[in-house]
Amino acid sequence: MAANPFKSMLKQLKQAVVYAETPADVYEQLKQPIRLVQFAIPVIMDSGKTKVFTAYRVQYNNTLGPFKGGIRFHPETNLDEVKALAAWMTFKSAVIGIPFGGGKGGVTVNPKRLSENELEQLSRGYVKSLVKLLGSHVDVPAPDVYTNAKIMAWMMDEYSKLVGKHTPASFTGKPLTAGGLAGRDIATAHGGLVATKLIVKKLKLNPKKCKIAVQGFGNVGYNVAKLLYNAGFNIINLSDSSGGITSLKNASMDPENVMLTKMEQGMIGGCYCVGTVCDCVNFIKVPNKKLLEMPVDILIPAALENVITGRNARRIKAKVIIEMANGPITPEADRILWAKKKYIVPDILANSAGVAGSYLEWWQNVHKQKLTQATVLKRLDKMITAAFNNVWRTAKKNKTDLRTAAYVVALKKITKAMQK
Ligand code: NAD
C-alpha cells in the first residue's frame, strides 16, 4: 500500500523538532491544519448530465503570512495528500523566506477526460464554493499538477466577479495578459537548476560529465530538463505518465525536441497534450519504474509523491536526488538513501522557487507593478542560493540530512514568529 503522505510529513517533522528545539506548543500546532474544507462541485457535462466532483482546500498555517499553495486536479487526489502538500507549503515558504504561510487544494478528477467547457465550470465552481475563504491577504492559490495558467485566469476572473472587484493578487500563476509574472512558467525549474548547480559544486562534480534522469515532463520536469540541458548537463532519461525513454550511448537528449514531438499529437480539453515522450522514436523505451533506477549521477523526480520507497530505494544508483516534485521519497526510503550516503535536495528547498515566483507575482499585483523576467530570475537566484547555503550549513552543524536541516530552518522561523 502506498505511504500516506501526511503521515510521512509528520515523521519528517518529528525528526526535525529535536534539532530545532521546537517548543511543545508550537509543535502541537504544526501537527494539523488550521482549517480544512471538503466540498462538492457540480458540473453540467456536455452530455447534459450533471456530475459531482469532490474538492478540498487545506489552510495549514498562516503564521508567516496568507495561506499559499496550488490546486491539483488529479484522479487520485485525496484529503491526506492535500493536507501533506499544504504542510510542505508552510515549511517551504519559511525556508525560502517569503511572507506566506501554507495551503493547498485539490479536486479528485481526471481533467484529461473533460472538455474545455466542463473544465472551466469545474474551475469556476471551485472558487464559487470557497470564495469566503480566499483573497489576496487570506489564501492565494496557484497551479499544481494538471492545472495551469488558463485555469488560474478562470479562477481569478470568477473570484473578481464574486467580490465585485478586479483582484489579480487573489491567484498566482496567471497568464501574462491577466497580471501574470514574466518567468513564472520557468520559476520552479530555474530554482531547480540553481540548486543542482550548487550541490554539484559542493560535491565537486563536473556538470558536463553528469548524467541526469527526469521523471515527469510537465511544467516542472520539462523546464528543469531544458534548463539543465542548456547549462551543459546530459539529459539521458525522461518520462511522463505514459512511460519513459532513454538515450542511445548516453548522448544527451534535447528536451525541446522531445516536447515538440510530444506536442505534435495535439491538445485535449484546451489544456492537456495527448502526446507522450514515448512518441519519440529515436530513443529506447523504459518502464516508468525502471527510469528511477537508471545509472545516472542525478535523479530528478518531477511528477508525484511516493515514487521512491522502501521497495526500490536500494536500487537507486544516482548519487544526488533533486526533489522537484513534492513528497517523492518516503521516510523509509530516506533512511536507506541516507545510509547509502546519497544527497537529497528536499522538495521544500529544491522546488521553493515556485512559491517564491508566486510571491513576486502577488507583490507586483498588489503594488500594481510589472517585473521583467531578468529581474525575476535574478531575485530567485539570490533567494534560492541563500536558502540552499542556510540549509547546507544547518545540516553540517547538526550532522543531519538536508531534509531535516530544511525543516530546522523553517521551524526556527515559524517558532520565532509564533512567539513574538
Ligand atoms: P504538470 O501537471 O505540469 O506535470 C506533471 C507531469 O507528471 C506530467 O508530465 C505527467 O505526465 C507526469 N506524470 C504523472 N504521473 C506520472 C508517473 N506516474 N510517472 C511519470 N510521470 C508522471 O505538474 P507540475 O506543475 O510539473 O508539477 C510536478 C510536481 O512538481 C508536483 O509534485 C508539484 O506539486 C510540484 N511542484 C510544482 C510547482 C509548479 O510551479 N508547477 C511548484 C513546486 C512544486
Side-chain angles (χ1 to χ4, degrees):
M1 208 172 67
N4 176 322
F6 188 66
K7 286 191 180 154
S8 297
M9 187 287 297
L10 288 176
K11 281 184 191 159
Q12 295 164 351
L13 178 63
K14 187 175 179 186
Q15 198 158 325
V17 292
V18 181
Y19 295 97
E21 296 174 352
T22 307
D25 59 324
V26 173
Y27 180 33
E28 282 308 306
Q29 289 178 70
L30 291 173
K31 278 190 201 162
Q32 53 180 312
I34 287 178
R35 181 183 292 120
L36 51 83
V37 195
Q38 179 174 323
F39 52 105
I41 308 175
V43 171
I44 304 167
M45 306 300 281
D46 295 346
S47 65
K49 283 193 180 143
T50 297
K51 215 168 162 183
V52 179
F53 296 93
T54 306
Y56 313 93
R57 184 75 190 166
V58 175
Q59 298 182 327
Y60 205 87
N61 191 279
N62 60 353
T63 302
L64 296 177
F67 301 106
K68 183 85 194 79
I71 300 170
R72 177 174 290 196
F73 287 178
H74 193 273
E76 277 150 39
T77 287
N78 58 65
L79 188 55
D80 272 347
E81 178 190 62
V82 181
K83 274 166 68 182
L85 292 164
W88 286 323
M89 286 306 298
T90 304
F91 302 118
K92 192 181 303 184
S93 296
V95 169
I96 192 72
I98 51 169
F100 278 140
K104 201 82 180 189
V107 180
T108 311
V109 58
N110 184 349
K112 294 182 183 174
R113 296 228 176 105
L114 300 186
S115 68
E116 190 165 354
N117 160 50
E118 293 161 347
L119 193 62
E120 182 171 352
Q121 279 187 64
L122 183 71
S123 308
R124 291 184 182 275
Y126 189 92
V127 179
K128 273 186 199 130
S129 299
L130 272 189
V131 64
K132 290 206 173 83
L133 298 177
L134 300 175
S136 35
H137 290 87
V138 183
D139 184 352
V140 187
D144 191 68
V145 173
Y146 297 158
T147 52
N148 54 25
K150 191 172 189 173
I151 292 173
M152 292 306 113
W154 287 329
M155 290 186 164
M156 187 274 278
D157 179 63
E158 189 64 31
Y159 180 82
S160 296
K161 278 184 185 149
L162 291 167
V163 299
K165 193 169 121 193
H166 181 57
T167 319
S170 55
F171 286 81
T172 60
K174 304 177 295 294
L176 280 177
T177 47
L181 182 79
R184 176 62 186 88
D185 51 341
I186 57 162
T188 311
H190 183 75
L193 168 73
V194 175
T196 307
K197 281 184 176 172
L198 287 165
I199 192 143
V200 159
K201 202 168 166 197
K202 291 273 184 212
L203 302 180
K204 299 188 174 61
L205 301 173
N206 178 353
K208 296 211 161 33
K209 288 193 177 154
C210 279
K211 289 181 283 174
I212 298 187
V214 182
Q215 184 199 40
F217 203 58
N219 175 287
V220 176
Y222 163 62
N223 282 306
V224 81
K226 186 173 81 174
L227 296 178
L228 286 163
Y229 172 80
N230 291 340
F233 289 87
N234 300 293
I235 308 298
I236 304 298
N237 303 104
L238 291 171
S239 76
D240 59 23
S241 58
S242 302
I245 49 174
T246 187
S247 76
L248 299 165
K249 296 184 187 156
N250 287 334
S252 185
M253 302 172 177
D254 179 347
E256 269 187 90
N257 285 340
V258 175
M259 185 52 103
L260 283 175
T261 308
K262 183 174 156 124
M263 294 294 286
E264 273 167 19
Q265 305 300 320
M267 304 287 275
I268 45 168
C271 284
Y272 305 101
C273 177
V274 183
T276 154
V277 297
C278 302
D279 294 333
C280 299
V281 290
N282 303 341
F283 306 115
I284 304 163
K285 291 193 181 42
V286 276
N288 234 322
K289 282 186 182 156
K290 274 271 167 285
L291 181 124
L292 300 164
E293 300 164 17
M294 299 304 278
V296 291
D297 304 287
I298 303 176
L299 174 62
I300 307 190
L304 297 168
E305 305 88 61
N306 289 338
V307 293
I308 304 176
T309 66
R311 255 182 265 159
N312 61 356
R314 284 179 189 82
R315 294 196 294 272
I316 302 294
K317 296 178 190 69
K319 171 93 179 151
V320 177
I321 304 174
I322 313 282
E323 285 189 325
M324 294 307 290
N326 288 306
I329 302 179
T330 64
E332 189 187 356
D334 251 345
R335 277 193 299 278
I336 295 167
L337 295 166
W338 173 244
K340 289 184 82 184
K341 300 194 168 46
K342 308 280 188 192
Y343 285 85
I344 299 167
V345 182
D347 45 10
I348 58 172
L349 171 63
N351 69 38
S352 61
V355 73
S358 280
Y359 166 66
L360 296 177
E361 180 174 337
W362 176 88
W363 181 91
Q364 73 166 24
N365 293 154
V366 167
H367 296 281
K368 298 189 171 48
Q369 302 270 328
K370 202 90 192 141
L371 300 170
T372 65
Q373 177 157 325
T375 307
V376 168
L377 298 184
K378 216 166 133 188
R379 298 230 358 224
L380 293 177
D381 268 22
K382 243 176 131 173
M383 290 162 98
I384 201 95
T385 303
F388 181 95
N389 288 335
N390 196 3
V391 169
W392 186 270
R393 271 194 310 271
T394 307
K396 292 286 157 211
K397 187 175 154 210
N398 295 307
K399 297 189 176 53
T400 68
D401 58 301
L402 294 172
R403 188 187 313 286
T404 305
Y407 269 90
V408 169
V409 168
L411 282 167
K412 288 200 168 163
K413 290 186 188 173
I414 296 168
T415 303
K416 205 168 162 193
M418 271 188 184
Q419 294 185 328
K420 72 177 177 238

